[in-house]
Structures are given as structure tokens and as C-alpha cells.
Amino acid sequence: MIQDSFETMNLALEMILIFDTSGRIMFGNTRAQKLLEYDQLEDLQIQEIFPDILVTEDGDFTWKESEQDLGSEQNAYRKNKTCFSVLARISKVNSEGQRLYICMAVDNTIQNYFAHRAQMADEQNQSAQQMKSQFVATVTHELRTPVNGILGNVQTLMGMENDPAKQGLLALMERGCRDMHAIINNILDFSKLDAGKLELDEKEFVLRDLMDYIKSNHINKITDKGLGFFMNISPEVPEKVIGDELRIGQVLNNFLSNATKFTATGKIMVEVVKTAQMGDRVELFFMVMDTGIGISKENQDKLFKSFSQVDSSTFRKYGGTGLGLSICKQLVEMMGGNVHVESEENKGSVFSFHIWIKVPTEEGEVLDTDMHAYQVQIPTMDMLEDTSKSMQYGTEENREELQKKLSKLILCIEMKNWEKAEMFMEGIRQLTNEAPREIKSLSLRLKMSVQKEDYEKALEAYNLFAESLEKGESIE
Ligand code: ADP
């Protein structure tokens, strides 16, 4: 029966060798002859082709190592005693009362070659990754030193300079250095996190002092923009905690500087609440709320990914690398917590996070374990509702807010402080978003002359805009 199949076997792409219980080859198909470079395989011993083949106690043939799903990886020897790798299987058959063995084998050289290439590529990739992390760490360290040097010198020059024009230029240089400094620090943190090399430094500190420091970092910019600022630390929040003060501060600073950056009217609120306690560990909840431009639902998903800014115009308008929030997320997760965002376009955003943190204990002190005692008000956009009234054109709140912004704007135009003028203009644009077409086009004209830093045109556009606002109000 087997004999009848020889012709079919000669068409096979696999090598097929049939041998008897003594190991004598009775048939080798055309493929086997070709690959093994024999004119005839019959009457050879199977061990000449596969020296690693074994005979079991029962007289069966097998490989030294057991077969895997795809067969056993073996070396097949050619007539000239060179060898190549194959995947081979042995099956036992009974043919007309005779016990025979069929060995089928496929050339494995190409698969091995690709597997080897893949392994090499993987190794190269890993070492390139390490080199990249090392390179980023070295370059950012090297950049930090000259930037700090320039910053220090610019600040000294600012103290010595009386000429307002030169003061203005020095202020721009100082801002540039600060921005560079922040970007360098972000890249350094990002590469450390990427390489798993960032560690938390936990020490005892006074939480309220940290919150005061955070406030002092941002309050000037917030009030300069004419925004309100409120901070509330609820009384159950412990005085002293043990944690990484620097990293908690970094997350809060990032949230607050974004809130300030993306808010032109209204207010910024910060809230710290204790939400649970387990022995000497407490869960703290931090929220930063703003009444700024907000973020659409689909963009909220992108927020915590690296290098992600809501759209490319954000970079042109507000700067930044889009790394800040991704770093915050990873830092908060290292502290056993999570970050959350709630936001609505043109209404505002609530960024919050919770962390588990230790509290120092006096010897013998018994601590509560209470997972539900503290009711937290989960951040919702309702908290920002009252401010959104000022966004509705024509309301009393809107009128008041517009007046405030306009008086600040004219002051900036008079002083030719164009950077600040643009900031107030952004607020005015938002406050008149729902205004009649004529007012909106006058506000656009004013905005353009402010952007062009054209004093005469800005003054003219301001007067026209203020007049038409008054007229609009008297018509109402
Ligand atoms: P960047 O360093 O560029 O500010 P972040 O990771 O801190 O990067 O923020 C990423 C993006 O998320 C910002 O560019 C902005 O588009 C959006 N975003 C963050 N916070 C706010 C906010 N409070 N209001 C509106 N948009 C925000």
C-alpha cells in the first residue's frame, strides 16, 4: 500500500524517509534526495542522515529531545557530511504486517535565519532604547547648566536696568529661560519614568506649607490676568504627612499653571480633602478647577498621553510640550492614586487626583481606620455653573466682567504692554462670544490691532468697541 503512495510522496515539498525496524531506509522521496544530495537513499541507515535519532527499549525510533508541536529541531546530514537544520517528525505505521517508520522533515534554515534576525533586531532595539534614555538624560543635564547660568545673569541685569525698553527685553529673555527650564525638566522626568528610574523621595512635611508655596508660585499671574483665586483645605487634612513633597507639588503646579494658562475670565479654585484613612495612611483628594476654555469629550481621552496637546494650535498659542499631564499621571500612580478630568468646552475644567500618603504617628497612638467617613464632593461642572453666567452675553455678571477686562486692556494699550493686552483681549473675546455680529466683528478688529502691536489702531478700535458696547446696552 505504501509502495502505491511513493509517486505521490515524490511530489511532496517535505523530505520523506521510510525506514524499517533496523533503521534501513526503504524509500527517500525526490525532495529528500535533492536536499541530502544523494542519487539514491535506499539501503542507507537512518542514523547516517540523523545521527541524533535514538532507538527506545521497545525498538521504536525517537529523538533525543521530545517533539514539539511543529516537530523536533534536528540536523540532517548531506552525503558530503555537511548538515542543515530541519523540523522533523517520526510516525510508526503498519504496512502489510510490517512495522515501518516514516520521517517527514522540512528545511528549517530560513525560519532559523529569520528568528535569528528577529532576535538580533530585538537586542539592537533594546540597546538603542538604553542609549536613547542615556542620551536624553545627559543632554538635558548638560542643557540645564547653561540655561540656569543665563537665567541668573538676566535676573541680575534686570535689577541693574532702568530703561523700560531694555527691562521689557530682559523680561522676555527671563521668560524664555524659564520656559526652557520647564521643558528640560519635563524631558528629564519623562526619560527617567520611561527607563523606570524615577524614585519617590518620601519625607515628613507640612502639607499646608506646601499648599501656601504652590499658591505663591501662581498668585501673581492669576491676579495679573484679573482672575479670582480660592483655596480650601478641609480641616480633617492632617498637618504633617510623609510623602514626596516635591512630586506632589509638581503635579499641583502643572494643574495650576494649565488652569491659569487656559483661563481668561472667571476664577481658579483649589480644594484638598481627606477621603479615607487606613491605620497610618490617609487618602487625600486634590482638585484644581478653572473656568477656562475647557476640553471637548474626545480630547479628554488624549490628555494623559505623552506629547499630546489638544490640537496643534495650542502649541502655537500657549507653548508647552504636552508632556506635563502624562508625567503627572505616572507620578500620581506611583503614589498609589489616579488622576481624573471633568471638563466642558467654554465652561471650564476640573483636574483632580487622589493619593495614599502616610501620617507620622506618636508612639502608642491609636489611629482610625475609616474608609467612608469623609464625604467628598466629586468634582462636577455644576461647581462652575455660577461663573458660566458671566459667559452669557448681556447678563449683569457678563457686563461687570467685560468692564473689568476693558479697563485693564486700555491700561495695557496705553503702556504698550502687548503681551498682557493680548491676554485681556482673549477674555473679552470669550465674554462676547454670544454677542451680536457687529460687536463681535469690532472685537475681532481690536484683537487684530493688539496682535499687530499697533498703538494708534488699537486705541481707535478700542474706542469703537467700547462705544458700540454702550450703545448695545442702552438699546436693551
Ligand atoms: P503642556 O506642557 O503642553 O501644557 P500638558 O500635558 O500639561 O502639556 O497639557 C496638555 C494639553 O491639555 C494642553 O496643551 C491643553 O490643550 C490641555 N489642557 C490641560 N489643562 C487644561 C485646562 N485646565 N484647560 C484647558 N485645556 C487644558
Side-chain angles (χ1 to χ4, degrees):
M1 191 179 97
I2 284 226
Q3 308 268 334
D4 299 341
S5 318
F6 284 172
E7 240 169 75
T8 323
M9 289 189 215
N10 275 333
L11 300 173
L13 289 173
E14 288 180 298
M15 296 201 292
I16 303 176
L17 297 166
I18 301 177
F19 52 97
D20 63 15
T21 46
S22 70
R24 187 180 63 87
I25 297 176
M26 296 168 62
F27 169 76
N29 72 345
T30 317
R31 182 79 177 154
Q33 277 179 19
K34 187 161 179 251
L35 288 180
L36 298 168
E37 298 172 4
Y38 281 95
D39 295 334
Q40 184 179 325
L41 284 154
E42 284 74 19
D43 295 331
L44 286 174
Q45 279 302 117
I46 188 71
Q47 287 88 346
E48 281 185 63
I49 310 295
F50 294 113
D52 284 340
I53 210 160
L54 293 177
V55 185
T56 66
E57 281 176 10
D58 306 336
D60 279 340
F61 289 85
T62 182
W63 307 112
K64 255 189 206 158
E65 274 150 33
S66 62
E67 271 186 21
Q68 305 296 312
D69 284 350
L70 292 171
S72 170
E73 198 173 333
Q74 295 294 326
N75 284 328
Y77 280 76
R78 299 185 187 93
K79 189 175 180 183
N80 64 10
K81 302 296 171 211
T82 58
C83 66
F84 59 98
S85 172
V86 291
L87 277 176
R89 291 181 162 283
I90 303 174
S91 332
K92 193 162 58 169
V93 288
N94 269 319
S95 170
E96 294 159 9
Q98 190 186 5
R99 185 150 52 129
L100 295 176
Y101 296 89
I102 303 180
C103 172
M104 289 197 264
V106 282
D107 188 349
N108 197 25
T109 327
I110 293 179
Q111 278 96 322
N112 273 353
Y113 171 75
F114 282 119
H116 179 65
R117 282 280 297 265
Q119 191 190 346
M120 268 176 48
D122 204 34
E123 281 166 11
Q124 274 171 4
N125 200 6
Q126 270 181 19
S127 78
Q129 197 67 25
Q130 269 169 2
M131 266 178 67
K132 188 191 82 186
S133 297
Q134 192 56 45
F135 173 78
V136 173
T138 316
V139 169
T140 37
H141 263 302
E142 291 301 313
L143 278 173
R144 227 172 10 179
T145 318
V147 169
N148 277 342
I150 301 169
L151 184 62
N153 286 325
V154 169
Q155 281 166 341
T156 314
L157 277 175
M158 275 173 89
M160 289 156 60
E161 193 51 70
N162 292 324
D163 179 346
K166 287 186 188 162
Q167 274 274 359
L169 287 175
L170 286 169
L172 275 179
M173 284 163 74
E174 193 206 19
R175 197 179 140 194
C177 285
R178 283 190 188 285
D179 288 352
M180 260 198 281
H181 200 260
I183 292 170
I184 291 169
N185 283 347
N186 266 355
I187 297 177
L188 196 58
D189 280 350
F190 179 76
S191 79
K192 272 197 211 153
L193 282 165
D194 199 33
K197 283 196 184 140
L198 198 138
E199 277 171 23
L200 295 177
D201 180 17
E202 300 197 337
K203 287 196 194 98
E204 185 175 305
F205 68 94
V206 179
L207 193 89
R208 284 174 176 79
D209 287 353
L210 169 67
M211 296 312 291
D212 283 346
Y213 172 68
I214 303 285
K215 178 177 166 184
S216 70
N217 277 344
H218 299 272
I219 194 71
N220 285 347
K221 190 136 194 227
I222 294 175
T223 43
D224 268 4
K225 284 186 98 172
L227 303 171
F229 181 78
F230 305 90
M231 183 186 273
N232 180 40
I233 304 170
S234 70
E236 333 77 56
V237 171
E239 249 327 274
K240 288 182 183 167
V241 289
I242 302 169
D244 194 328
E245 184 178 13
L246 196 82
R247 297 298 178 182
I248 299 172
Q250 182 176 347
V251 178
L252 284 167
N253 272 328
N254 200 108
F255 283 7
L256 259 173
S257 68
N258 278 346
T260 315
K261 211 194 275 188
F262 297 108
T263 308
T265 58
K267 59 187 174 192
I268 291 172
M269 293 159 280
V270 178
E271 188 83 62
V272 189
V273 201
K274 172 175 154 182
T275 42
Q277 173 147 10
M278 281 219 308
D280 64 348
R281 298 177 76 229
V282 291
E283 189 190 46
L284 296 181
F285 200 77
F286 297 79
M287 290 180 249
V288 176
M289 294 166 261
D290 67 64
T291 55
I293 59 172
I295 308 151
S296 68
K297 279 272 171 288
E298 72 231 61
N299 283 329
Q300 285 174 33
D301 299 338
K302 296 190 214 155
L303 273 184
F304 296 100
K305 295 194 181 126
S306 314
F307 305 108
S308 148
Q309 287 190 325
V310 161
D311 61 53
S312 54
S313 66
T314 306
F315 177 73
R316 287 196 296 278
K317 194 157 160 195
Y318 300 102
T321 50
L323 277 180
L325 289 179
S326 137
I327 294 171
C328 288
K329 180 177 189 291
Q330 295 185 62
L331 289 177
V332 167
E333 283 170 359
M334 281 176 79
M335 294 188 246
N338 262 315
V339 283
H340 323 267
V341 61
E342 269 259 327
S343 185
E344 225 177 289
E345 271 181 298
N346 300 321
K347 207 163 168 191
S349 311
V350 183
F351 280 85
S352 59
F353 64 96
H354 70 263
I355 49 169
W356 279 94
I357 199 163
K358 271 201 212 137
V359 281
T361 47
E362 301 291 323
E363 233 175 287
E365 192 183 352
V366 180
L367 292 164
D368 302 349
T369 288
D370 199 340
M371 296 299 285
H372 306 289
Y374 310 95
Q375 289 281 316
V376 209
Q377 193 176 3
I378 297 298
T380 65
M381 296 312 299
D382 300 346
M383 289 166 127
L384 306 171
E385 201 58 61
D386 57 332
T387 327
S388 75
K389 276 199 197 128
S390 66
M391 293 296 187
Q392 286 164 26
Y393 184 74
T395 59
E396 200 175 319
E397 290 86 346
N398 177 273
R399 227 170 281 174
E400 268 173 30
E401 198 64 32
L402 256 174
Q403 271 320 318
K404 264 198 245 163
K405 292 271 180 278
L406 276 171
S407 56
K408 290 202 165 142
L409 174 70
I410 189 64
L411 220 66
C412 293
I413 295 177
E414 290 292 1
M415 291 169 74
K416 299 191 180 162
N417 186 340
W418 300 112
E419 198 186 322
K420 274 200 180 163
E422 257 196 69
M423 196 169 80
F424 292 120
M425 197 54 237
E426 177 64 23
I428 291 169
R429 203 195 54 75
Q430 285 180 19
L431 291 164
T432 50
N433 214 13
E434 297 169 5
R437 199 142 43 114
E438 191 205 355
I439 291 183
K440 274 175 86 168
S441 70
L442 284 173
S443 96
L444 189 68
R445 187 167 153 188
L446 176 56
K447 185 182 167 177
M448 275 162 50
S449 49
V450 167
Q451 273 176 343
K452 282 189 193 145
E453 304 186 1
D454 185 329
Y455 176 74
E456 307 294 336
K457 287 220 167 90
L459 214 55
E460 194 188 317
Y462 173 86
N463 287 331
L464 275 173
F465 179 68
E467 262 171 43
S468 99
L469 269 185
E470 261 175 47
K471 258 196 261 157
E473 279 171 20
S474 57
I475 290 165
E476 253 188 308

